[in-house]
Amino acid sequence: MPGELPWGWWLRARDGRFEDEDGRTWRTVRDAFWEGQLGFCAVHFAREQHELMLRVMSVIDGPRTGDGESRHDLFAGDAMFWRFYRCWLAAIGMLDLQVKAPATSNPLSARLSPEGRSVLMMLRATRDPAWEGLPMAAVMEAVTAAGPGSDADRENALRSFEDGVGFRRHLFARERIGRAHLVTLTSMAKGSGARMPTRRVAWSMSFNDAADRDDLFAWLACRIDRWDDWGERAFYQGADSLTRHLLGMIVVAQREGTFQ
């Protein structure tokens, strides 16, 4: 059923390819969706478009953030591109436009349709490298609900979150070095050729006060689905690039009242 199983669950594997109900065969499930379902031609940059679709749909399916923050993160602030992409997702049935509910009939505010959730599950399951699991929904809800004013509750929520993130390839963490309270990002390179893969600190930010550090870490925790992309930016483009990117997002989030 749509929304319960990944898109393409009905495809049959035969002779190293995937066959649909019309007898058409595809090299991958993603090809069956991109070329067979959506009618796009086979192009060398399809993979990057699959990744963009995955990122946008993950944002739509995740905790609510402001449009400006998502535009800045995914489309370098281009409002026209962001609006077009949302309208395109609605046109191909990925968004749930409920005519009787005006608040959700707008493609800029609509959530994923059951079909959209199935496609999102497929894109996550077929991602290379494999999609890293996210913490339990209950943990994420606790982090979101525990605001800056509830110190004990927030600390418990953040500790549960830290226990749940495991050994991700790109990992934000809270640290204490001397009198400084830090948020660090450690990353592990892909395909570095090293016999022993090792982590290195790709980015860090220091605070004099633990509460200020925890405010930033809680904001990052609520956006864990973006950690891999931010980690890639810091690892390959440098820490300054990530700092500028995050500061831009935080400014927009503060303006929209979504910094939490």
Side-chain angles (χ1 to χ4, degrees):
M1 294 291 292
E4 298 177 4
L5 293 171
W7 186 96
W9 63 268
W10 60 86
L11 296 173
R12 294 192 302 174
R14 174 179 294 180
D15 299 327
R17 296 179 67 85
F18 294 91
E19 183 180 55
D20 65 15
E21 60 272 23
D22 296 322
R24 299 178 299 176
T25 61
W26 313 97
R27 186 176 58 86
T28 67
V29 176
R30 284 190 171 195
D31 288 347
F33 172 70
W34 194 250
E35 300 170 28
Q37 176 79 0
L38 299 184
F40 284 112
C41 59
V43 290
H44 69 278
F45 53 80
R47 183 178 178 183
E48 69 186 38
Q49 294 302 315
H50 299 162
E51 186 67 19
L52 177 60
M53 190 175 189
L54 168 61
R55 296 176 187 183
V56 174
M57 292 177 72
S58 293
V59 167
I60 295 172
D61 191 56
R64 279 297 196 184
T65 57
D67 271 1
E69 181 183 328
S70 300
R71 287 199 311 269
H72 180 89
D73 192 21
L74 296 168
F75 295 99
D78 191 327
M80 184 177 294
F81 192 10
W82 170 251
R83 290 171 180 171
F84 171 81
Y85 207 92
R86 292 286 300 242
C87 288
W88 174 68
L89 288 177
I92 62 174
M94 299 297 105
L95 301 185
D96 188 10
L97 298 182
Q98 301 178 27
V99 177
K100 296 182 180 180
T104 59
S105 63
N106 186 334
L108 299 182
S109 57
R111 305 292 280 176
L112 293 183
S113 65
E115 178 80 358
R117 285 193 294 274
S118 287
V119 170
L120 178 58
M121 284 190 280
M122 179 274 290
L123 291 173
R124 286 178 171 175
T126 58
R127 192 183 191 190
D128 184 25
W131 180 269
E132 294 191 66
L134 301 182
M136 294 183 302
V139 174
M140 295 303 301
E141 290 175 3
V143 172
T144 303
S150 51
D151 294 337
D153 290 342
R154 182 171 68 168
E155 179 60 25
N156 290 334
L158 291 180
R159 286 184 181 275
S160 296
F161 173 83
E162 289 169 323
D163 291 340
V165 293
F167 295 98
R168 301 177 61 88
R169 191 161 56 84
H170 301 287
L171 181 68
F172 285 95
R174 297 182 296 169
E175 296 188 28
R176 173 77 181 271
I177 299 179
R179 295 184 177 181
H181 303 269
L182 295 89
V183 174
T184 62
L185 168 64
T186 56
S187 296
M188 185 178 297
K190 294 187 299 182
S192 61
R195 293 185 178 181
M196 178 65 188
T198 56
R199 289 185 170 277
R200 79 177 191 191
V201 177
W203 177 89
S204 67
M205 185 166 288
S206 176
F207 299 86
N208 293 325
D209 185 84
D212 293 339
R213 175 203 61 188
D214 291 351
D215 284 346
L216 175 62
F217 185 73
W219 183 83
L220 292 169
C222 292
R223 290 151 181 82
I224 188 175
D225 59 302
R226 302 294 300 139
W227 283 17
D228 288 346
D229 298 310
W230 294 344
E232 295 283 333
R233 176 186 287 267
F235 196 94
Y236 294 107
Q237 299 181 32
D240 288 345
S241 175
L242 179 60
T243 298
R244 291 191 299 269
H245 187 73
L246 293 181
L247 285 178
M249 286 186 65
I250 289 171
V251 168
V252 174
Q254 288 280 17
R255 184 188 308 138
E256 296 182 331
T258 58
F259 185 87
Q260 57 181 12

